[in-house]
Amino acid sequence: MIFTLSNVVTSMAQDDNISSLSEVGAEMLPSTIAPYQRNPFNIPLLKYPVFPDYSVNIEERGAVKSEPVTELVNQLIAEISNRGGGKLIIPEGKWKSGRIILKSNVNLYLDEGAEIEFSGNAEDYLPSVFTAHEGIEIMGAGAFIYACGEDNIAVTGKGHIYGPQMDVPVRKNSNSIAWLEKEFPAEVDKRIFDGMEGRRFFAPKVISPINCRNVLIEGITIGRCLFWNVNPIYCENVIIRGITVNSVGIPSGDGIDITSCKNVLIEYCTMNCGDDCYALKGGRDKDGLRIGKPTENAIIRYCIAKAGHGGVTIGSETAGGIKNIYAYGCVFDGTQIGIRFKTRRPRAGVSENLFYENFRMINVRDAFVWDLLGTPQFMGDLAKRLPLRPITELTPEVKNIHIRNFIIESAKRLIVANGIPEQPFSNVVIESGSIYCKKLIPTMNDFKGFTMRDLSITSDDNVINLLDGRDLLLDNIRFTLPENKLYVYMKGERTKNIEFKNIQPEIEIIKEK
C-alpha cells in the first residue's frame, strides 16, 4: 500500500461514516426527511407543514414585472390565509418587492426561474415591526420576508431571492449593534431603527420569522443580502432544507442564524458566506437574560460550508443559552474556521451539550476555535485575559462538547483556544479523528477538562502551548512530526494535571514561568 495522505487520514476514523463533498449540500437534497441517526438528546422527527390544495399565481392576479409587487403579494397572502391557506406562486421572471409579510398556512413558492429583488430603501420597510437585531429586541425593518406570531408557514421552490444592487447607499451603513449597546432604552417599542427622522436604519435580513411555529424554508437560492440571510427568532419546529446562500464579500453576511428556537432541522444546505455559515444563538447580554429563551434541540446534517468565518458556530450571542446541538455528516471546504465557539464576557448564558460527528474539513485555516474574549475593537479592556473579573450573571459558560469520528484533510492550525480565565471552558472530548495540519496548538488558554484520544495527527509543527489549563489528557495519539518529537510548553500557576498516555513519539515538557 502506498503511504499517502488519504491513507494517513483514514487510519483513526471510521471513514465509511464520514461524508464526502459529493454527498452533501443543496444539490444532493432528497425528496423526504430521513429519520435521525443516533441522537444524543430527544427531539421529535420534524414533519413538513401541510397546506390546503389551493394556489394563486401572482401574474394571473395582475402582477407586472415592471412594477413592485409588494402590495399585491401581501394582499394575496392575507386572502389565502383568511380562506384557510394554500400556495402563493411567484412565477418565472424578474420581480421587485418591498417587505413581504407571511401569514399562517401560506406557502410562498418561487417557481424555477423566478427572481425577486428586494428594495434597499428604508421607506419600503415601514412601518417598523418587532424583531431582534444581533440578539437585541428592536423595532425595525425585520426582513425581506417576515412573519410574526404565525403558524404553518413556508418559503419554498427553486427560485432566487436577491437583495438590492451592490451600490445602494444603505450598504454603506454599519449594521453592527456593538457600537450602540449603551444607547438602548428599556422599552422595546422605543428602540426604533427605521431610518426615518434621523434615526439609524438596521438593514433587513432576508427571511426572518419571529414567534412562529412549524416553519419550512426549502430549495431556494439567496444572493446579495444586506445583512443575515435566514434568521428564525423565537420559533419552534423549524425545517431548513436544500437552500443555497451566496454572500461572499458582504459584511455580516451570515448564512443561517438560529436565534432562541426549539426543535430545528437544517439539512443538505450549501453556504458560501461573508460571515458565519451556520450559527446557533441565544440572545445578547442583559436583553437576552431578560427574555431567557435558549436555542435548543437543533440538528445540522449533510450540509456544506464553503467560504465563511465559521462553519458551525456557537454564539456569540449566548445569553438565553444554547444547548443540545448535533452536527453530523457535514463538510467544511475552504472555511476559515471549521467548528467555532464564540462568546464574550458580558454575553451571559450557558452553551452546553454540543455534539459533532462524522465530518470532513478541507483547506480550513483553523479546525477548532474557542474565541471567548473577543477583540479590543469591540470589547475594550474586557478582551484582555487579566485581571480576573468577578463571576456574575453576565459571565458566559461553555461546556460539555463532544467531537468524534472526523477527517481533517488540511488545516493551517488544529486548535486555537482563548478561554475566559475566571470561567474556563470545560469538559471537551475530541476523539477518533485523522488530522493533517501545518501547526498543532499554538494557543490553548483557560480550560478545564480537555481530552484528546484515538487520533492520528500529521503536522509540520511539533509545539503545543498551554496557559492556565487544567485536567488535560492526551491518550492513544500517533503523531507524525518534525524531529519525531513533541514539545509541550506549559505556563501559568493554574496549569496542572496534564497527562499523556500511549503517545508516539517522544514528548518533552517545558515549564515556563
Side-chain angles (χ1 to χ4, degrees):
M1 181 173 66
I2 300 174
F3 194 65
T4 65
L5 175 61
S6 61
N7 292 325
V8 171
V9 297
T10 59
S11 59
M12 298 291 260
Q14 300 175 24
D15 193 28
D16 290 345
N17 296 324
I18 297 174
S19 295
S20 64
L21 278 170
S22 63
E23 298 172 311
V24 298
E27 293 184 357
M28 304 306 298
L29 177 68
S31 59
T32 59
I33 298 174
Y36 309 137
Q37 70 173 51
R38 55 185 192 88
N39 277 359
F41 50 83
N42 292 323
I43 176 175
L45 181 63
L46 299 181
K47 299 179 180 180
Y48 278 110
V50 177
F51 301 94
D53 186 17
Y54 173 77
S55 63
V56 175
N57 185 310
I58 65 166
E59 200 164 30
E60 295 173 357
R61 296 291 292 270
V64 293
K65 299 179 178 67
S66 59
E67 299 290 336
V69 297
T70 317
E71 185 175 349
L72 177 61
V73 167
N74 284 326
Q75 173 191 324
L76 293 175
I77 287 173
E79 288 181 6
I80 293 171
S81 178
N82 288 337
R83 77 180 304 279
K87 179 191 295 183
L88 180 62
I89 299 170
I90 310 296
E92 179 182 0
K94 295 184 178 182
W95 307 91
K96 292 185 181 295
S97 184
R99 183 174 61 208
I100 291 173
I101 299 180
L102 271 179
K103 298 291 185 181
S104 293
N105 301 311
V106 176
N107 176 9
L108 180 65
Y109 182 84
L110 280 67
D111 261 341
E112 187 170 4
E115 298 181 9
I116 307 178
E117 180 180 305
F118 283 86
S119 169
N121 297 320
E123 292 83 358
D124 291 322
Y125 299 91
L126 293 174
S128 294
V129 293
F130 173 61
T131 186
H133 191 89
E134 292 190 4
I136 300 287
E137 292 185 344
I138 66 165
M139 304 298 295
F144 298 162
I145 301 173
Y146 171 83
C148 181
E150 305 298 334
D151 186 12
N152 221 52
I153 58 175
V155 181
T156 66
K158 296 184 178 180
H160 289 66
I161 296 171
Y162 292 103
Q165 297 297 316
M166 295 302 295
D167 58 354
V168 296
V170 70
R171 292 190 183 274
K172 298 178 181 179
N173 297 335
S174 171
N175 279 314
S176 176
I177 215 161
W179 304 107
L180 301 174
E181 290 186 11
K182 296 180 181 179
E183 299 181 15
F184 287 100
E187 301 86 353
V188 174
D189 60 2
K190 294 181 180 178
R191 303 173 183 175
I192 302 172
F193 295 92
D194 59 2
M196 302 293 108
E197 300 177 1
R199 292 184 290 266
R200 179 179 288 269
F201 179 64
F202 281 151
K205 289 149 281 197
V206 177
I207 302 173
S208 186
I210 186 168
N211 285 324
C212 294
R213 288 176 50 87
N214 304 315
V215 177
L216 171 66
I217 303 169
E218 183 179 72
I220 59 170
T221 297
I222 301 172
R224 221 166 53 220
C225 64
L226 286 172
F227 187 57
W228 295 355
N229 282 274
V230 177
N231 180 214
I233 306 166
Y234 312 155
C235 292
E236 186 171 350
N237 302 336
V238 177
I239 301 172
I240 303 172
R241 306 184 74 233
I243 73 168
T244 300
V245 172
N246 296 302
S247 62
V248 173
I250 297 177
S252 299
D254 293 31
I256 298 173
D257 293 282
I258 305 299
T259 299
S260 301
C261 294
K262 182 178 181 179
N263 300 338
V264 178
L265 172 64
I266 303 169
E267 64 176 7
Y268 293 99
C269 293
T270 298
M271 299 291 116
N272 199 31
C273 297
D275 207 303
D276 289 328
C277 293
Y278 306 90
L280 296 309
K281 300 174 179 288
R284 189 185 189 105
D285 302 4
K286 291 182 179 180
D287 212 47
L289 282 179
R290 173 183 63 82
I291 299 157
K293 293 182 179 180
T295 280
E296 59 182 323
N297 303 343
I299 293 175
I300 304 171
R301 63 181 184 178
Y302 310 125
C303 290
I304 182 170
K306 295 183 178 180
H309 293 183
V312 175
T313 296
I314 302 298
S316 65
E317 298 85 6
T318 56
I322 301 166
K323 60 184 180 181
N324 297 347
I325 309 300
Y326 185 28
Y328 68 89
C330 297
V331 176
F332 310 92
D333 182 18
T335 319
Q336 288 185 24
I337 299 167
I339 294 175
R340 187 184 195 192
F341 306 93
K342 289 170 56 183
T343 189
R344 305 290 182 255
R345 271 191 170 110
R347 288 288 190 269
V350 180
S351 301
E352 61 181 337
N353 303 339
L354 314 171
F355 303 91
Y356 307 82
E357 187 174 28
N358 299 346
F359 59 86
R360 184 185 303 268
M361 295 187 190
I362 306 165
N363 193 28
V364 299
R365 187 190 69 191
D366 302 319
F368 309 114
V369 168
W370 283 259
D371 173 17
L372 310 186
L373 290 174
T375 63
Q377 179 185 11
F378 292 104
M379 303 310 302
D381 286 344
L382 289 177
K384 297 178 181 179
R385 285 187 67 246
L386 301 176
L388 297 177
R389 275 67 172 185
I391 294 178
T392 71
E393 66 174 3
L394 293 177
T395 305
E397 185 176 9
V398 180
K399 64 181 182 179
N400 301 344
I401 299 165
H402 196 170
I403 300 168
R404 68 174 302 275
N405 202 44
F406 58 90
I407 295 173
I408 299 174
E409 293 189 15
S410 48
K412 289 185 178 179
R413 300 182 293 190
L414 176 56
I415 293 174
V416 178
N418 288 290
I420 299 173
E422 62 269 19
Q423 185 82 283
F425 66 94
S426 62
N427 194 19
V428 178
V429 175
I430 300 177
E431 64 179 348
S432 303
S434 299
I435 298 157
Y436 178 85
C437 56
K438 294 290 185 181
K439 288 187 174 292
L440 287 174
I441 306 177
T443 304
M444 190 166 172
N445 304 341
D446 303 305
F447 61 89
K448 181 180 179 181
F450 199 112
T451 297
M452 299 175 67
R453 64 187 174 215
D454 301 332
L455 302 171
S456 172
I457 302 176
T458 299
S459 179
D460 297 342
D461 173 49
N462 58 358
V463 174
I464 293 175
N465 288 297
L466 307 177
L467 173 59
D468 283 340
R470 288 169 279 175
D471 305 325
L472 172 68
L473 171 63
L474 273 61
D475 182 16
N476 191 31
I477 301 177
R478 185 174 71 246
F479 287 97
T480 302
L481 303 173
E483 305 177 34
N484 201 31
K485 192 171 184 179
L486 176 64
Y487 295 90
V488 180
Y489 291 83
M490 300 193 304
K491 187 176 182 180
E493 295 179 354
R494 286 172 292 168
T495 296
K496 62 180 181 180
N497 298 336
I498 310 300
E499 185 177 2
F500 304 92
K501 297 170 61 177
N502 305 314
I503 302 298
Q504 302 175 25
E506 178 186 353
I507 301 172
E508 181 173 340
I509 297 174
I510 301 99
K511 294 183 179 180
E512 300 180 317
K513 293 183 179 180

